[in-house]
Amino acid sequence: MTLPAHVAAAGDTAWMRSLRGRFVVFDGPDGSGKSTQFRRFSDIARAAGVEVVEVREPGGTPIGEKIRTILLDPSNAEMTVRAEMLLYMASRAQLFAQRIEPALRGGALVLADRFVSSTLAYQGAAGGMDEDDIVAGGRVATGNHVPDLTVVFDVSTDVALSRLSPLLDRMEGKGREFHMRVRAGYLSQAERWPDRYVVVDSSVAPDAVTASLHAAARAWAAAHAGARAHAHR
């Protein structure tokens, strides 16, 4: 069986086994390229012998997918930021209880495409909600758990918007100034919680992003090698 090029080029991946039982989030502005890196990282981790459970937000469960439809429907323009936040948290609560927590208990690496970090950026930094209120809501939704590691894929707003499909969903279509605040919000989180965030430059070619991602994740794993998996503050 021929391995995908990004798996074959990954080099030493034994370190990824230390991610078993960890909860890792990939996040960043729309158009940051995180979805490509999410797929690559998952493929490489599996090739290294790690069980991987993938989830996405909003959604990831039958209830969450119904909430996702409401949140991303462009016709729901009257939705308030507070209602957005609570709907994201409702989807998140179901996802954590139904899929994330059981997977962590089973020793899998859980990879999430977005999590509370997205709510902090979109409804907090860009939407004007108080950050601490969102953090508190996230802890209610997850039973006081936070991800072990959040990877923020950072790219300039103009480059990110140039990568989006012309068929924008309700969140993607909020305009350049909104998305500039989103980016600033992600970078602010990384400054606030440096122990569990890393920032990866995603303005370069995908292979270079992958290399930077693996270097950052490997360094984080080495620094946290003795910590109990998902021992959240």
mmCIF file of all heavy atoms in Angstrom, residues 34-56:
data_model
loop_
_atom_site.group_PDB
_atom_site.id
_atom_site.type_symbol
_atom_site.label_atom_id
_atom_site.label_comp_id
_atom_site.label_asym_id
_atom_site.label_seq_id
_atom_site.Cartn_x
_atom_site.Cartn_y
_atom_site.Cartn_z
ATOM 1 N N LYS A 34 -6.492 25.335 8.239
ATOM 2 C CA LYS A 34 -6.432 24.356 9.320
ATOM 3 C C LYS A 34 -7.014 23.010 8.930
ATOM 4 O O LYS A 34 -6.557 21.966 9.416
ATOM 5 C CB LYS A 34 -7.136 24.880 10.575
ATOM 6 C CG LYS A 34 -8.637 25.048 10.412
ATOM 7 C CD LYS A 34 -9.300 25.483 11.694
ATOM 8 C CE LYS A 34 -10.769 25.773 11.455
ATOM 9 N NZ LYS A 34 -11.516 24.652 10.873
ATOM 10 N N SER A 35 -8.009 22.987 8.047
ATOM 11 C CA SER A 35 -8.637 21.715 7.685
ATOM 12 C C SER A 35 -7.657 20.788 6.963
ATOM 13 O O SER A 35 -7.641 19.576 7.191
ATOM 14 C CB SER A 35 -9.874 21.955 6.815
ATOM 15 O OG SER A 35 -10.841 22.677 7.546
ATOM 16 N N THR A 36 -6.821 21.361 6.085
ATOM 17 C CA THR A 36 -5.788 20.563 5.410
ATOM 18 C C THR A 36 -4.819 19.989 6.426
ATOM 19 O O THR A 36 -4.460 18.803 6.366
ATOM 20 C CB THR A 36 -5.025 21.440 4.403
ATOM 21 O OG1 THR A 36 -5.916 21.870 3.381
ATOM 22 C CG2 THR A 36 -3.865 20.660 3.775
ATOM 23 N N GLN A 37 -4.392 20.801 7.374
ATOM 24 C CA GLN A 37 -3.433 20.342 8.375
ATOM 25 C C GLN A 37 -4.067 19.350 9.347
ATOM 26 O O GLN A 37 -3.391 18.418 9.819
ATOM 27 C CB GLN A 37 -2.856 21.545 9.123
ATOM 28 C CG GLN A 37 -2.117 22.527 8.235
ATOM 29 C CD GLN A 37 -0.993 21.876 7.435
ATOM 30 O OE1 GLN A 37 -0.292 20.991 7.923
ATOM 31 N NE2 GLN A 37 -0.823 22.308 6.179
ATOM 32 N N PHE A 38 -5.315 19.517 9.632
ATOM 33 C CA PHE A 38 -6.054 18.577 10.483
ATOM 34 C C PHE A 38 -6.015 17.181 9.866
ATOM 35 O O PHE A 38 -5.700 16.196 10.533
ATOM 36 C CB PHE A 38 -7.503 19.063 10.622
ATOM 37 C CG PHE A 38 -8.364 18.259 11.551
ATOM 38 C CD1 PHE A 38 -8.549 18.658 12.864
ATOM 39 C CD2 PHE A 38 -9.032 17.119 11.106
ATOM 40 C CE1 PHE A 38 -9.367 17.932 13.726
ATOM 41 C CE2 PHE A 38 -9.841 16.390 11.954
ATOM 42 C CZ PHE A 38 -10.016 16.790 13.275
ATOM 43 N N ARG A 39 -6.317 17.101 8.587
ATOM 44 C CA ARG A 39 -6.321 15.815 7.889
ATOM 45 C C ARG A 39 -4.921 15.202 7.860
ATOM 46 O O ARG A 39 -4.744 14.006 8.133
ATOM 47 C CB ARG A 39 -6.848 16.023 6.459
ATOM 48 C CG ARG A 39 -6.684 14.864 5.504
ATOM 49 C CD ARG A 39 -7.267 13.562 6.019
ATOM 50 N NE ARG A 39 -8.596 13.753 6.564
ATOM 51 C CZ ARG A 39 -9.113 13.018 7.554
ATOM 52 N NH1 ARG A 39 -8.384 12.083 8.132
ATOM 53 N NH2 ARG A 39 -10.329 13.233 7.989
ATOM 54 N N ARG A 40 -3.923 16.004 7.579
ATOM 55 C CA ARG A 40 -2.551 15.490 7.528
ATOM 56 C C ARG A 40 -2.105 14.974 8.893
ATOM 57 O O ARG A 40 -1.518 13.894 9.006
ATOM 58 C CB ARG A 40 -1.599 16.580 7.046
ATOM 59 C CG ARG A 40 -1.745 16.933 5.573
ATOM 60 C CD ARG A 40 -0.674 17.931 5.157
ATOM 61 N NE ARG A 40 -0.691 18.171 3.711
ATOM 62 C CZ ARG A 40 0.297 18.746 3.055
ATOM 63 N NH1 ARG A 40 1.392 19.148 3.693
ATOM 64 N NH2 ARG A 40 0.218 18.929 1.743
ATOM 65 N N PHE A 41 -2.360 15.757 9.928
ATOM 66 C CA PHE A 41 -1.926 15.372 11.268
ATOM 67 C C PHE A 41 -2.598 14.074 11.698
ATOM 68 O O PHE A 41 -1.960 13.177 12.270
ATOM 69 C CB PHE A 41 -2.246 16.497 12.254
ATOM 70 C CG PHE A 41 -1.513 16.405 13.559
ATOM 71 C CD1 PHE A 41 -0.239 16.931 13.686
ATOM 72 C CD2 PHE A 41 -2.098 15.814 14.661
ATOM 73 C CE1 PHE A 41 0.447 16.865 14.891
ATOM 74 C CE2 PHE A 41 -1.422 15.732 15.869
ATOM 75 C CZ PHE A 41 -0.150 16.262 15.990
ATOM 76 N N SER A 42 -3.885 13.965 11.417
ATOM 77 C CA SER A 42 -4.625 12.744 11.756
ATOM 78 C C SER A 42 -4.053 11.533 11.027
ATOM 79 O O SER A 42 -3.840 10.470 11.621
ATOM 80 C CB SER A 42 -6.105 12.920 11.410
ATOM 81 O OG SER A 42 -6.833 11.764 11.735
ATOM 82 N N ASP A 43 -3.789 11.684 9.742
ATOM 83 C CA ASP A 43 -3.227 10.579 8.950
ATOM 84 C C ASP A 43 -1.883 10.129 9.512
ATOM 85 O O ASP A 43 -1.606 8.923 9.635
ATOM 86 C CB ASP A 43 -3.035 11.012 7.494
ATOM 87 C CG ASP A 43 -4.337 11.173 6.727
ATOM 88 O OD1 ASP A 43 -5.384 10.702 7.219
ATOM 89 O OD2 ASP A 43 -4.293 11.778 5.642
ATOM 90 N N ILE A 44 -1.022 11.095 9.840
ATOM 91 C CA ILE A 44 0.317 10.770 10.313
ATOM 92 C C ILE A 44 0.263 10.127 11.694
ATOM 93 O O ILE A 44 1.001 9.179 11.992
ATOM 94 C CB ILE A 44 1.207 12.020 10.295
ATOM 95 C CG1 ILE A 44 1.421 12.486 8.840
ATOM 96 C CG2 ILE A 44 2.551 11.758 10.959
ATOM 97 C CD1 ILE A 44 2.030 13.869 8.712
ATOM 98 N N ALA A 45 -0.624 10.621 12.557
ATOM 99 C CA ALA A 45 -0.762 10.027 13.891
ATOM 100 C C ALA A 45 -1.231 8.574 13.799
ATOM 101 O O ALA A 45 -0.714 7.695 14.508
ATOM 102 C CB ALA A 45 -1.738 10.844 14.731
ATOM 103 N N ARG A 46 -2.176 8.315 12.917
ATOM 104 C CA ARG A 46 -2.643 6.929 12.748
ATOM 105 C C ARG A 46 -1.526 6.040 12.223
ATOM 106 O O ARG A 46 -1.374 4.893 12.660
ATOM 107 C CB ARG A 46 -3.849 6.902 11.812
ATOM 108 C CG ARG A 46 -5.134 7.433 12.427
ATOM 109 C CD ARG A 46 -6.352 7.072 11.574
ATOM 110 N NE ARG A 46 -7.588 7.441 12.248
ATOM 111 C CZ ARG A 46 -8.280 8.552 12.023
ATOM 112 N NH1 ARG A 46 -7.848 9.408 11.085
ATOM 113 N NH2 ARG A 46 -9.389 8.810 12.683
ATOM 114 N N ALA A 47 -0.756 6.557 11.285
ATOM 115 C CA ALA A 47 0.358 5.779 10.755
ATOM 116 C C ALA A 47 1.390 5.484 11.837
ATOM 117 O O ALA A 47 2.123 4.482 11.752
ATOM 118 C CB ALA A 47 1.005 6.514 9.589
ATOM 119 N N ALA A 48 1.457 6.329 12.864
ATOM 120 C CA ALA A 48 2.380 6.119 13.983
ATOM 121 C C ALA A 48 1.813 5.164 15.023
ATOM 122 O O ALA A 48 2.461 4.906 16.047
ATOM 123 C CB ALA A 48 2.711 7.459 14.636
ATOM 124 N N GLY A 49 0.615 4.652 14.776
ATOM 125 C CA GLY A 49 0.013 3.690 15.687
ATOM 126 C C GLY A 49 -0.862 4.291 16.759
ATOM 127 O O GLY A 49 -1.185 3.626 17.751
ATOM 128 N N VAL A 50 -1.286 5.536 16.572
ATOM 129 C CA VAL A 50 -2.125 6.214 17.559
ATOM 130 C C VAL A 50 -3.590 6.122 17.130
ATOM 131 O O VAL A 50 -3.922 6.409 15.977
ATOM 132 C CB VAL A 50 -1.715 7.697 17.693
ATOM 133 C CG1 VAL A 50 -2.599 8.415 18.703
ATOM 134 C CG2 VAL A 50 -0.245 7.811 18.081
ATOM 135 N N GLU A 51 -4.455 5.727 18.055
ATOM 136 C CA GLU A 51 -5.896 5.769 17.774
ATOM 137 C C GLU A 51 -6.338 7.229 17.795
ATOM 138 O O GLU A 51 -6.076 7.953 18.760
ATOM 139 C CB GLU A 51 -6.682 4.987 18.821
ATOM 140 C CG GLU A 51 -8.192 5.028 18.591
ATOM 141 C CD GLU A 51 -9.013 4.404 19.712
ATOM 142 O OE1 GLU A 51 -8.399 3.896 20.680
ATOM 143 O OE2 GLU A 51 -10.247 4.456 19.630
ATOM 144 N N VAL A 52 -6.995 7.660 16.737
ATOM 145 C CA VAL A 52 -7.421 9.050 16.619
ATOM 146 C C VAL A 52 -8.943 9.111 16.498
ATOM 147 O O VAL A 52 -9.547 8.386 15.704
ATOM 148 C CB VAL A 52 -6.788 9.731 15.386
ATOM 149 C CG1 VAL A 52 -7.267 11.183 15.277
ATOM 150 C CG2 VAL A 52 -5.265 9.677 15.458
ATOM 151 N N VAL A 53 -9.551 9.969 17.302
ATOM 152 C CA VAL A 53 -10.979 10.265 17.183
ATOM 153 C C VAL A 53 -11.104 11.705 16.723
ATOM 154 O O VAL A 53 -10.612 12.626 17.394
ATOM 155 C CB VAL A 53 -11.712 10.050 18.519
ATOM 156 C CG1 VAL A 53 -13.160 10.543 18.421
ATOM 157 C CG2 VAL A 53 -11.686 8.576 18.907
ATOM 158 N N GLU A 54 -11.734 11.912 15.576
ATOM 159 C CA GLU A 54 -11.886 13.245 15.001
ATOM 160 C C GLU A 54 -13.288 13.778 15.282
ATOM 161 O O GLU A 54 -14.274 13.053 15.128
ATOM 162 C CB GLU A 54 -11.687 13.204 13.485
ATOM 163 C CG GLU A 54 -10.330 12.714 13.035
ATOM 164 C CD GLU A 54 -10.243 12.624 11.524
ATOM 165 O OE1 GLU A 54 -11.125 13.191 10.835
ATOM 166 O OE2 GLU A 54 -9.311 11.976 11.019
ATOM 167 N N VAL A 55 -13.362 15.044 15.678
ATOM 168 C CA VAL A 55 -14.660 15.693 15.867
ATOM 169 C C VAL A 55 -14.585 17.087 15.248
ATOM 170 O O VAL A 55 -13.500 17.647 15.063
ATOM 171 C CB VAL A 55 -15.046 15.802 17.363
ATOM 172 C CG1 VAL A 55 -15.211 14.420 17.972
ATOM 173 C CG2 VAL A 55 -14.028 16.609 18.150
ATOM 174 N N ARG A 56 -15.751 17.629 14.912
ATOM 175 C CA ARG A 56 -15.773 18.990 14.375
ATOM 176 C C ARG A 56 -16.828 19.794 15.110
ATOM 177 O O ARG A 56 -17.773 19.249 15.702
ATOM 178 C CB ARG A 56 -16.088 18.986 12.880
ATOM 179 C CG ARG A 56 -17.544 18.659 12.541
ATOM 180 C CD ARG A 56 -17.843 19.003 11.107
ATOM 181 N NE ARG A 56 -19.260 18.796 10.784
ATOM 182 C CZ ARG A 56 -19.823 19.148 9.630
ATOM 183 N NH1 ARG A 56 -19.072 19.720 8.693
ATOM 184 N NH2 ARG A 56 -21.101 18.937 9.403
#
